[in-house]
């Protein structure tokens, strides 16, 4: 069962990004009204706006939190061709009483000549590094060598992707087996360059990022991209929001001792879903990479989960269609009306998730008569068989009422 | 056996603006709450102005009620106990242990059910009553299934005692109905029939019982055919029931209320020596007979049917689908895996299935503000992915208080999760520093073994001292111990404080020695030397000589070194004449004091004691 709590956000225009901090206690929103708002969650679970300020002179596209090891730090990027880094200053006591805090700008990154479309911090094991990508196809990686001095950032890498960039995602893996890697998505309408997703990898020898792979099968505009958390696997998983939802597996191939280039990656498509039936705009992973959420132009948010055998299926839909909130109170599951069973007809009511059903792959469909071949019918039953119409050995009675029932994540 | 692939239906309708605005606004999931997302919308009205909303959509957390929490706590206890059962016990003992554990789980379920039931009947709010009532129903079903699994899989009752167990099973779950049935069935039973209820296991073998039973059964049939009971309709009915006549039994459907009650009754009267492998035939036919043509099998029916077919895999699968929680399938599968039952049923992914379910269950627990600690034990017993799941999730636990942070750290320490320890300490140190709690920040950075941060904080302490003339957090600095060595600046801070202590205790000789060594051993940063030399002044001005001649010479060298440095740097940086004057005066004062002290020291050292 899902419930929703709505907060009047008070932005004067479209909100373009919303981002939780590392612990989920704070939230930041950014908007075409050029401002960023920071929200704090109180003890009773309510969100309060603790800061709201003008950040840019154009629409703010994205806002993102740094890891709390670096303090309370935000980065934003905008149509005004800049990205900015903000730090929270612990306020005066009367401000604190009023529940307000102040954010001050530590730096403005002005290198881009076009709208900056995404800003992301690199994984914390790389230090305090910020990445931006722009509409002119340039990816820039900045570093703050002194994490206590957020006003000093140096441009470490400038990478031209040749296609207008819309989104970046870092591979979160901190394994020594994996050099730093990020993926860039493009919403360029240019069809000459085939693949709209590029993977770049850091090369220890050249001390530069070089392109490891282009996903040639992704030819439509990419709106969002997200590496899954790693979980100690040797391969990487990447989700892409384009005209549909796609999940790729990138398997590093063994490097020959003589090769000095980036790791060769074998690209496998794991899943492709067009259920949104429209452009998919966002994809995001949960912490353990077991659940992917996507949102699309159909106004729905879909949740995708892999079953035990790594087959991905939709496990829930949250829909927005302008009608008021319904269905939030608990409705009885079919199980609850079943004790006392089949004498009465019962309604199976459906809510939420249907995760469980596909977790177990169907066993080979038994040919009639063989499934229980090793179990001979008892003699008494055989005697009675003559009276009954001949039928194959009993098989499961499924009915349409037997649709997947609510499935929750844990209890 | 194709399954229809049906799209899950839509759940929550969120008040949003047209899809055009909807798309860009899905957040990553909240790390704090399971399955919680923020979705934003903007609704523009006819006038062109608009309203923006943030919708936080999350899983309904009603199921974290205090009563269910008890279920999680107690089952956690049983789970941990199960994991530590010794492998080398003989299998018979193990089986008894597993049965006993299974019974423990079931009693925990029943206890929880009773409490929920109490609330459901005593509450005045209809919504609460319904909700709790539903939970009771679900737990009833769970216990029913679990009990059957215990009978069939764990206890693995053989023919003969199988029926007894099934009788118990049905009775336990249909206590009141059974009462009525027994009343009807036994009120007018001929006495001699009682003798034949003597079941196997005691002092007769299965075959002996079977022979006796068949003999009795034949006699019952003969009675029927003879019309011995024709005069009394009730007796005749009873006789037919005793003979296992299905139609008669079915006529009394409402007494039986469930097909599995019908099944056991039918077995009791027609096939009491039923073998486990034969069960599913009777089960299937009973289900078919019991259902009238309009009704369809419920999910529960199919689960029980799968159990009668000894299809453990199907049972687990159907339970996962039908039930809105992982608790049941995770614990049951774990127990079955310990009984080595998953493998014997040809599931080549036996132990991984167990781990998969446990990981799902525990992950759900992890976001709860107090239950997350239970989850840790579950991850500990998932050999493949438990550790990495724990790593990823424990670092997201909000560190609201120091106490909570310490709790999290203890768990990480116990598991050698050094990176998580470092990270958590760093986060706490940063937070303390931002709030100007230098002592707390220092102790956290020491714990994080973060030399750079410790240096930074030590600098702040020293700056504080320079401006205010006193130290804060003396306790901490005084008791640094070997941690002092983490960073040079920290060492200096500790030693400098020691100097002040010695001075306060009037141990001037030792204080003087320490002060000098801070400079000569280069522990003190050059920028602090002026302060140290100024600190030396009162020692130089004492009536008695504290610094020896040699020491005074060294101090003079230090001063010269410092002034030559300052002169060199002064060339580059503009200083106001006022600053320069102050500097000069200080230096002059020091030179004078040092000279005077040198003179006195030479005299003192040259004097022969009378």
């Amino acid at each position: 069962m899902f419930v929703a709590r709505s907060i009047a956000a008070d932005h004067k225009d479209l909100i373009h990004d919303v981002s939780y901090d590392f612990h989920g206690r704070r939230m930041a929103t950014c908007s075409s009204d050029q401002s960023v708002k920071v929200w704090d969650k109180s003890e009773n679970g309510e969100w309060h706006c603790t800061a709201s300020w003008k950040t840019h002179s154009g629409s703010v596209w994205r806002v993102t939190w740094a890891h709390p090891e670096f303090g309370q730090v935000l980065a934003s990027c905008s149509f005004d061709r800049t990205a900015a880094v903000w730090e929270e200053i612990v306020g005066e006591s009367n401000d604190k009483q009023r529940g307000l805090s102040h954010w001050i700008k530590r730096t403005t990154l002005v290198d881009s000549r076009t709208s900056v479309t995404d800003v992301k911090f690199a994984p914390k094991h790389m230090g305090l590094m910020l990445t931006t990508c722009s509409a002119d196809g340039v990816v820039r990686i900045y570093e703050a060598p002194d994490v206590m001095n957020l006003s000093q950032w140096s441009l470490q890498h400038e990478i031209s992707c040749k296609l207008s960039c819309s989104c970046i995602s870092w591979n979160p893996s901190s394994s020594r087996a994996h050099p730093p890697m990020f993926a860039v998505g493009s919403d360029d309408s240019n069809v000459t360059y085939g693949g709209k997703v590029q993977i770049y990898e850091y090369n220890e020898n050249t001390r530069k990022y070089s392109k490891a792979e282009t996903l040639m099968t992704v030819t439509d505009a990419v709106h969002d991209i997200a590496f899954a958390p790693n979980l100690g696997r040797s391969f990487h998983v990447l989700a892409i929001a384009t005209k549909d939802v796609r999940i790729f597996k990138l398997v590093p191939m063994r490097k020959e001792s003589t090769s000095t280039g980036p790791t060769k990656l074998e690209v496998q498509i794991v899943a492709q879903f067009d259920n949104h039936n429209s452009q998919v705009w966002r994809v995001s992973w949960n912490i353990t990479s077991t659940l992917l959420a996507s949102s699309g132009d159909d106004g729905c948010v879909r949740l995708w989960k892999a079953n035990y055998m790594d087959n991905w299926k939709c496990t829930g839909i949250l829909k927005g269609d302008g009608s008021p909130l319904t269905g939030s109170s608990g409705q009885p599951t079919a199980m609850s009306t079943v004790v006392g069973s089949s004498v009465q007809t019962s309604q199976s009511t459906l809510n939420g998730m249907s995760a469980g059903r596909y977790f177990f792959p169907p066993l080979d469909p038994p040919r009639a008569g063989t499934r229980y071949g090793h179990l001979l019918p008892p003699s008494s039953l055989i005697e009675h068989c003559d009276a009954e119409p001949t039928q194959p050995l009993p098989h499961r009675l499924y009915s349409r009422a037997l649709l997947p029932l609510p499935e929750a994540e844990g209890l | 056996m194709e399954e229809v692939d049906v799209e899950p239906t839509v759940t929550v309708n969120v008040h949003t603006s047209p899809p055009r605005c909807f798309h860009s606004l899905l957040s990553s999931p909240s790390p704090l709450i399971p399955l919680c997302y923020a979705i934003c919308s903007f609704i523009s009205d006819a006038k062109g102005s608009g309203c923006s909303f943030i919708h936080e959509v999350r899983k309904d957390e009603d199921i974290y009620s205090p009563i269910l929490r008890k279920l999680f706590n107690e089952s956690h206890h049983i789970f941990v106990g199960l994991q530590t059962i010794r492998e080398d016990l003989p299998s018979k003992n193990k089986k008894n242990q597993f049965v006993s554990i299974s019974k423990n789980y079931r009693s925990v379920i029943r206890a929880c059910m009773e409490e929920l039931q109490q609330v459901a009947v005593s509450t005045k709010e209809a919504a609460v009553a319904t909700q709790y009532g539903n939970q009771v129903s679900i737990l009833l079903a769970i216990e029913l299934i679990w009990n059957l699994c215990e009978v069939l899989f764990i206890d693995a009752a053989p023919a003969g005692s199988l029926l007894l167990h099934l009788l118990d099973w049905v009775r336990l779950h249909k206590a009141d109905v059974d009462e009525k049935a027994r009343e009807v069935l036994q009120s007018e039973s001929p006495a001699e029939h009682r003798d034949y209820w003597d079941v196997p296991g005691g002092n007769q073998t299965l075959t002996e019982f079977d022979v006796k039973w068949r003999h009795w059964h034949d006699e019952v049939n003969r009675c029927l055919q003879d019309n011995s009971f024709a005069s009394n309709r009730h007796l005749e009915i009873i006789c037919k029931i005793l003979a296992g006549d299905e139609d008669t039994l079915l006529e009394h459907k409402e007494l039986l209320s469930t097909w599995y009650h019908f099944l056991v009754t039918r077995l009791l009267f027609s096939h009491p020596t039923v073998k486990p492998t034969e069960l599913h035939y009777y089960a299937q036919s009973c289900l078919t007979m019991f259902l009238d043509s309009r009704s369809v099998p419920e999910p529960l029916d199919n689960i029980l049917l799968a159990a009668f077919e000894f299809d453990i895999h199907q049972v687990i699968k159907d339970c996962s689908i039908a039930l809105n929680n992982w608790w049941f399938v995770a614990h049951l599968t774990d127990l079955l895996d310990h009984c080595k039952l998953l493998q014997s049923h040809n599931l080549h992914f036996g132990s991984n299935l167990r781990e998969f379910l446990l990981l799902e269950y525990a992950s759900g627990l992890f976001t709860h503000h107090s239950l997350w600690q239970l989850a840790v034990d579950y991850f500990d017993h998932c050999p493949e992915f438990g550790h990495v799941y724990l790593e990823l999730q424990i670092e997201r636990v909000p560190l609201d208080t120091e106490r909570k942070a310490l709790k999290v750290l203890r768990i990480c320490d116990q598991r050698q999760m050094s990176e998580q320890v470092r990270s958590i300490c760093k986060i706490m140190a940063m937070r303390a520093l931002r709030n100007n709690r230098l002592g707390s920040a220092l102790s956290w950075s020491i714990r994080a073994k973060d030399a750079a941060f410790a240096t930074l904080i030590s600098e702040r302490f020293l700056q504080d001292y320079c401006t205010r003339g006193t130290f804060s957090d003396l306790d901490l600095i005084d008791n640094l111990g070997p941690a002092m060595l983490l960073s040079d600046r920290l060492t200096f801070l500790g030693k400098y404080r020691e100097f002040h202590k010695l001075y306060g205790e009037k141990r001037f000789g030792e204080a003087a020695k320490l002060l000098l060594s801070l400079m000569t051993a280069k522990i003190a940063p050059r920028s602090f030397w002026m302060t140290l030399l100024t600190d030396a002044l009162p020692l130089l001005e004492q009536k008695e000589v504290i610094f020896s001649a040699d020491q005074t010479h060294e101090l003079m060298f230090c001063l010269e070194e410092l002034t030559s440095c300052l002169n060199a740097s002064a060339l580059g940086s503009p200083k106001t004449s006022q600053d320069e004057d102050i500097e000069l005066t200080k230096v002059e004062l020091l030179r004078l004091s040092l000279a005077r002290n040198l003179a006195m020291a030479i005299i003192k050292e040259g004097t022969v004691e009378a």
Side-chain angles (χ1 to χ4, degrees):
Chain A
M1 255 57 72
F2 281 89
V3 292
R5 192 207 291 265
S6 298
I7 316 146
D10 233 2
H11 275 291
K12 306 282 183 294
D13 205 333
L14 296 180
I15 301 177
H16 292 289
D17 200 10
V18 54
S19 174
Y20 285 102
D21 80 332
F22 190 74
H23 294 294
R25 287 286 166 96
R26 314 190 79 180
M27 188 164 66
T29 53
C30 64
S31 161
S32 270
D33 70 2
Q34 303 177 3
S35 74
V36 165
K37 287 182 195 279
V38 173
W39 306 79
D40 279 39
K41 195 165 213 176
S42 64
E43 297 271 319
N44 60 4
E46 304 212 331
W47 290 97
H48 300 283
C49 182
T50 54
S52 171
W53 73 103
K54 179 158 147 54
T55 48
H56 291 275
S57 50
S59 288
V60 189
W61 298 129
R62 300 267 191 160
V63 66
T64 185
W65 294 85
H67 193 278
E69 274 186 38
F70 301 113
Q72 296 298 303
V73 177
L74 278 173
S76 59
C77 67
S78 163
F79 180 74
D80 72 358
R81 306 191 299 271
T82 68
V85 177
W86 310 88
E87 188 176 14
E88 188 183 35
I89 297 301
V90 176
E92 302 297 311
S93 53
N94 55 344
D95 275 341
K96 259 205 195 134
Q97 278 168 9
R98 277 157 51 212
L100 297 176
S101 67
H102 290 287
W103 291 76
I104 65 174
K105 184 189 286 205
R106 289 300 190 196
T107 194
T108 312
L109 305 171
V110 298
D111 303 274
S112 176
R113 304 225 183 85
T114 55
S115 168
V116 184
T117 51
D118 200 358
V119 62
K120 290 278 185 330
F121 284 99
K124 73 164 157 64
H125 68 266
M126 292 171 60
L128 186 53
M129 294 184 76
L130 190 65
T131 322
T132 59
C133 69
S134 303
D136 62 0
V138 181
V139 171
R140 291 181 176 85
I141 304 179
Y142 299 86
E143 183 174 14
D146 178 4
V147 306
M148 296 308 299
N149 181 1
L150 296 177
S151 347
Q152 293 298 326
W153 294 80
S154 67
L155 177 59
Q156 303 279 69
H157 303 275
E158 206 163 29
I159 300 151
S160 177
C161 301
K162 299 194 174 63
L163 289 172
S164 162
C165 303
S166 58
C167 49
I168 330 167
S169 172
W170 279 96
N171 186 342
S173 169
S174 55
S175 154
R176 281 203 206 106
H178 300 143
M181 176 192 282
F182 66 87
V184 189
S186 165
D187 57 357
D188 204 315
S189 49
N190 186 327
V191 291
T192 333
Y193 294 102
K196 297 283 191 313
V197 173
Q198 299 172 40
I199 317 281
Y200 286 86
E201 191 184 69
Y202 185 70
N203 187 318
E204 291 287 344
N205 300 321
T206 63
R207 308 257 215 98
K208 282 194 188 336
Y209 282 87
S210 48
K211 182 160 17 172
E213 190 63 56
T214 305
L215 302 186
M216 297 306 293
T217 54
V218 183
T219 50
D220 300 277
V222 170
H223 308 296
D224 199 15
I225 199 169
F227 269 105
N230 187 265
L231 255 62
R233 297 179 294 229
S234 60
F235 58 89
H236 315 295
V237 178
L238 185 63
I240 297 174
T242 168
K243 68 168 198 241
D244 48 30
V245 176
R246 285 190 219 181
I247 305 175
F248 284 92
K249 188 166 158 181
L250 306 171
V251 187
M253 315 274 264
R254 192 110 61 96
K255 252 185 162 154
E256 278 134 59
S257 49
T258 51
S259 91
T260 50
T263 321
K264 204 114 176 48
L265 294 169
E266 184 193 324
V267 178
Q268 300 168 10
I269 179 118
V270 170
Q272 189 164 351
F273 307 112
D274 55 8
N275 306 55
H276 283 286
N277 220 15
S278 56
Q279 293 296 319
V280 181
W281 286 88
R282 284 292 166 92
V283 278
S284 68
W285 293 95
N286 71 342
I287 297 170
T288 48
S289 77
T290 48
L291 190 75
L292 178 70
S294 63
S295 68
D297 256 345
D298 61 344
C300 288
V301 172
R302 277 157 214 272
L303 303 170
W304 311 93
K305 207 164 156 64
N307 75 352
Y308 183 71
M309 300 300 275
D310 221 19
N311 294 320
W312 288 83
K313 294 244 174 90
C314 183
T315 186
I317 309 178
L318 314 171
K319 188 176 175 185
D321 65 358
S323 51
L325 194 59
T326 61
S328 62
S329 58
Q331 298 206 12
T333 65
M335 284 302 284
S336 66
T337 57
V338 141
V339 181
S341 131
S342 11
V343 186
Q344 76 249 40
T345 53
S346 78
Q347 305 275 321
S348 316
T349 50
L350 303 171
N351 273 302
M353 316 275 272
S354 66
R357 65 171 316 188
Y358 57 85
F359 282 117
F360 308 93
L363 302 169
D364 289 324
R367 292 158 304 189
T370 59
R371 182 169 185 182
Y372 308 110
H374 65 290
L375 303 171
L376 292 171
S379 48
S380 51
L381 201 60
I382 290 174
E383 282 161 22
H384 291 128
C385 260
D386 299 331
E388 290 160 26
T390 49
Q391 47 177 260
L393 286 168
H395 56 269
R396 197 61 33 74
L397 297 173
Y398 278 113
S399 68
R400 261 189 282 124
L402 237 192
L403 288 170
L405 292 163
E407 177 62 59
E409 286 288 298
L411 244 225
Chain B
M1 209 169 300
E2 286 301 304
E3 285 182 22
V4 176
D5 202 7
V6 178
E7 265 229 326
T9 53
V10 162
T11 63
V12 174
N13 292 324
V14 175
H15 195 209
T16 69
S17 51
R20 183 179 73 84
C21 309
F22 188 85
H23 65 248
S24 45
L25 308 166
L26 171 72
S27 72
S28 297
S30 164
L32 183 65
I33 298 170
L35 281 173
C36 178
Y37 293 88
I39 305 170
C40 299
S41 64
F42 184 78
I43 302 164
S44 46
D45 59 19
K47 294 181 233 160
S49 60
C51 277
S52 55
F53 291 93
I54 304 168
H55 313 280
E56 202 181 31
V57 184
R58 61 172 179 80
K59 197 101 206 35
D60 197 347
E61 289 201 301
D62 277 351
I63 44 186
Y64 286 118
S65 73
I67 301 172
L68 280 174
R69 230 178 287 164
K70 259 194 243 170
L71 175 70
F72 304 148
N73 269 301
E74 290 178 24
S75 58
H76 160 260
H77 191 66
I78 302 172
F79 171 83
V80 171
L82 172 57
Q83 309 310 308
T84 51
I85 282 187
R86 286 168 47 208
E87 280 299 312
D88 52 352
L89 286 177
S91 58
K92 182 154 199 295
N93 292 357
K94 269 206 241 172
K95 179 173 129 169
N96 291 339
Q97 267 198 298
F98 291 142
V99 171
S100 148
I101 286 172
S102 179
K103 287 183 164 36
N104 278 345
Y105 274 124
R106 286 196 296 118
S107 67
V108 161
I109 297 172
R110 288 204 92 87
C112 181
M113 220 174 5
E114 276 159 28
E115 275 197 59
L116 287 171
Q117 180 70 358
Q118 275 182 14
V119 175
V121 297
S122 61
T123 182
K124 296 206 175 53
E125 296 171 51
V128 173
T130 320
Q131 184 203 357
Y132 276 62
N134 289 338
Q135 283 172 356
V136 169
S137 302
I138 293 172
L139 285 177
L140 263 172
I142 285 177
E143 210 261 318
L144 179 75
I145 300 167
W146 194 307
N147 198 344
L148 184 61
C149 289
E150 183 186 304
V151 167
L152 297 176
F153 307 144
I154 303 174
D155 215 346
S161 55
L162 173 62
L163 184 62
L164 276 180
H165 283 93
L166 286 175
L167 270 171
D168 282 336
W169 172 65
V170 161
R171 274 197 196 117
L172 191 62
H173 296 94
K174 285 286 159 253
D176 54 343
V177 177
D178 192 60
E179 278 301 306
K180 286 193 208 142
R182 278 203 290 163
E183 273 171 30
V184 168
L185 289 175
Q186 291 191 345
S187 61
E188 293 166 71
S189 279
E192 61 258 32
H193 292 170
R194 288 252 166 83
D195 294 344
Y196 290 90
W197 293 116
D198 197 356
V199 285
N203 31 18
Q204 51 184 340
T205 66
L206 193 64
T207 338
E208 283 172 359
F209 173 78
D210 198 45
V211 165
K212 279 196 194 158
W213 181 82
R214 283 187 187 282
H215 183 73
W216 171 83
H217 193 253
D218 290 339
E219 226 191 273
V220 172
N221 273 322
R222 219 177 310 124
C223 287
L224 275 175
Q225 276 156 15
D226 288 350
N227 285 326
S228 335
F229 296 116
S231 51
N232 186 326
R233 198 178 126 62
H234 284 304
L235 268 180
E236 199 173 48
I237 289 174
I238 289 167
C239 202
K240 279 195 180 158
I241 290 173
L242 289 175
D245 183 54
E246 287 150 13
D247 294 324
T248 321
L249 285 172
L250 282 171
E251 277 165 29
H252 294 89
K253 222 193 240 192
E254 64 283 359
L255 284 176
L256 295 168
S257 81
T258 63
W259 65 272
Y260 39 93
H261 192 176
F262 170 48
L263 166 67
V264 175
T265 313
R266 183 183 160 208
L267 288 172
L268 176 64
F269 294 124
S270 22
H271 313 283
T273 54
V274 63
K275 299 203 201 71
T277 47
E278 297 166 352
L279 267 181
H280 73 97
Y281 289 102
Y282 298 110
Q284 182 59 67
S285 63
C286 283
L287 177 61
T288 320
M289 279 190 260
F290 199 82
L291 294 181
D292 52 49
S293 52
R294 281 157 310 167
S295 44
V296 289
E298 302 295 330
L300 177 60
D301 300 331
N302 290 308
I303 292 169
L304 295 176
L305 209 53
F308 286 124
E309 288 172 6
F310 284 80
D311 192 348
I312 294 184
H313 181 251
Q314 195 68 41
V315 171
I316 296 172
K317 178 178 184 178
D318 288 349
C319 287
S320 301
I321 298 169
L323 293 163
N324 65 346
N325 66 74
W326 294 106
W327 177 87
F328 172 43
V329 283
H331 287 88
L332 180 63
T333 308
D334 173 58
L335 180 56
L336 294 174
D337 187 59
H338 273 91
C339 300
K340 306 266 191 283
L341 285 170
L342 293 184
Q343 289 145 345
S344 69
H345 278 70
N346 270 334
L347 287 179
H348 52 274
F349 37 74
S351 66
N352 289 336
L353 176 64
R354 165 193 170 272
E355 184 163 315
F356 178 83
L357 294 172
L358 286 174
L359 288 172
E360 290 290 333
Y361 170 64
S363 296
L365 280 184
F366 219 93
T367 43
H368 189 267
H369 63 86
S370 63
L371 292 174
W372 64 272
Q373 294 168 78
L374 300 182
V376 175
D377 283 317
Y378 287 95
F379 287 133
D380 281 345
H381 292 106
C382 291
E384 215 179 318
F385 286 115
H387 192 81
V388 65
Y389 265 62
L390 181 60
E391 279 179 5
L392 287 171
Q393 300 193 305
I394 204 162
E395 60 180 7
R396 301 281 184 154
V397 174
L399 307 165
D400 305 319
T401 59
E402 287 231 351
R403 206 163 131 249
K404 192 163 188 195
L406 289 171
K407 219 185 263 193
V408 175
L409 281 172
R410 195 178 50 238
I411 291 172
C412 294
D413 270 331
Q414 285 167 349
R415 289 159 183 80
Q416 283 88 46
M417 292 161 65
S418 49
E419 169 53 32
Q420 281 68 31
V421 169
R422 188 207 60 78
S423 181
I424 289 166
C425 290
K426 186 66 192 287
I427 293 172
M428 295 302 284
M430 257 320 221
R431 195 186 292 175
L433 184 64
R434 280 181 66 236
N435 287 300
N436 228 11
R437 291 180 285 119
L438 292 181
S440 179
L442 184 60
S443 64
W444 282 114
S445 55
I446 290 171
R447 189 142 181 200
K449 299 203 180 56
D450 191 334
F453 211 59
T455 301
L456 189 108
I457 297 170
S458 307
E459 288 275 5
R460 294 269 230 118
F461 267 115
L462 293 166
Q463 278 168 25
D464 255 9
Y465 170 77
C466 285
T467 45
R468 291 190 296 158
T470 55
F471 284 109
S472 57
D473 299 282
L474 286 175
D475 268 343
L476 175 65
I477 304 172
D478 285 343
N479 294 307
L480 282 173
M484 212 191 285
L485 300 172
L486 180 62
S487 99
D488 284 344
R489 198 64 90 250
L490 184 59
T491 314
F492 170 61
L493 177 66
K495 290 285 171 199
Y496 188 51
R497 165 68 196 143
E498 209 182 308
F499 161 72
H500 280 275
K501 260 174 75 186
L502 289 169
Y503 189 96
E505 290 164 15
K506 298 209 195 305
R507 290 152 67 180
F508 295 129
E510 291 170 64
K513 207 163 151 205
L514 179 57
L515 185 66
L516 185 58
S517 70
L518 288 177
M519 282 185 283
T520 53
K522 306 272 189 277
I523 297 176
R526 188 60 63 81
S527 52
F528 218 76
W529 280 19
M530 193 47 101
T531 313
L532 289 175
L533 288 167
T534 319
D535 284 335
L537 269 174
L539 291 170
L540 293 165
E541 297 296 321
Q542 294 279 338
K543 272 216 198 90
E544 51 170 306
V545 171
I546 298 168
F547 285 102
S548 71
D550 283 340
Q551 286 175 329
T552 316
H553 271 125
E554 291 201 57
L555 282 172
M556 284 166 144
F557 280 134
C558 289
L559 181 58
E560 292 315 310
E561 218 183 306
L562 186 60
T563 48
S564 62
C565 267
L566 287 176
N567 286 337
S569 62
L571 290 172
S573 59
K575 265 195 180 153
T576 68
S577 56
Q578 209 178 13
D579 280 342
E580 279 193 32
D581 280 342
I582 293 172
E583 285 297 315
L584 274 169
T585 319
K586 266 199 221 166
V587 173
E588 289 302 312
L589 261 173
L590 277 167
R591 287 214 176 104
L592 186 58
S593 270
L594 284 167
R596 277 212 293 259
N597 193 72
L598 185 58
M600 285 168 55
I602 291 173
I603 293 171
K604 177 183 171 203
E605 282 158 33
T607 307
V608 172
E609 293 292 330

